[in-house]
Amino acid sequence: MPSARGRSEGMTVNEDVAPFTIAFVAGVTLTRWTSAWADRQPGIPLAFLPVGTAEQTEVLHDGRADVSFVRFPVDGTDLSVIPLYAEVPVVVVPKDHPVSLFETVTLADLAEETITPPTLSPGDAVELVAAGGGVVILPQSIARMHGRKDVVARPVVDAPETRIAIAWVEANTTERVEEFVGIVRGRTAASSRATPTPPAEPKPPRKEAKPRPKQQSQAQARAAANRRRRSGR
């Protein structure tokens, strides 16, 4: 579950301010981003909406959430979608299964295995695996959520990765959305999209150097002095 830093002790929250609502699919950890929001926007509370993949974008279109952490594939119609990271696929098997002896496996290693029905929820699939009803490939974060002592998970090195992204309705790109997306993308509190780089100070015009009078050599100076003395006689 996400962190509750949006209402931590000592924080002043304006109850009249509508919360910023974050939807998220299972397996996404929000703490580092919600903590940063609480530090930068202490007057704006956060609300959290767990969703399944079937409604991960629906909650954006119907206004239930401002942003949504989604798992690909995703219908990006009218949405801004920024991929964030990939999830490692793992196979969950009974603890005494031969695969449990390996550090990693391939899809070929699982060719003879019975895969649990795709219609099952991850929790039900892991329950079936524990009962000896097959194996299941899940994103690592989901497998951890449903971990139990009688099953083990091993990375499947050649299985397709899944990806997590943040999405929002493009037409609803508010300042709040921009601020939160900036936090997720690593923008610091000191940085600002609206602050342009100040123009360089104009340099003063370069002054033309005055030509120096031509200096005479010592021999020329002596010759000139001798000429003056002779003419003065």
Side-chain angles (χ1 to χ4, degrees), residues 17-100:
V17 176
F20 184 81
T21 303
I22 304 169
F24 61 98
V25 293
V28 176
T29 302
L30 303 176
T31 307
R32 63 186 183 277
W33 301 315
T34 57
S35 296
W37 176 273
D39 292 337
R40 299 185 201 179
Q41 301 290 340
I44 302 177
L46 293 176
F48 303 101
L49 180 61
V51 294
T53 54
E55 59 174 348
Q56 60 184 1
T57 58
E58 178 183 325
V59 296
L60 297 172
H61 293 296
D62 64 20
R64 282 183 286 163
D66 295 288
V67 297
S68 181
F69 287 89
V70 299
R71 180 173 283 111
F72 282 98
V74 60
D75 179 5
T77 304
D78 298 328
L79 299 179
S80 291
V81 182
I82 299 177
L84 299 176
Y85 59 88
E87 299 177 295
V88 176
V90 300
V91 61
V92 181
V93 300
K95 190 174 183 179
D96 58 355
H97 193 282
V99 165
S100 66

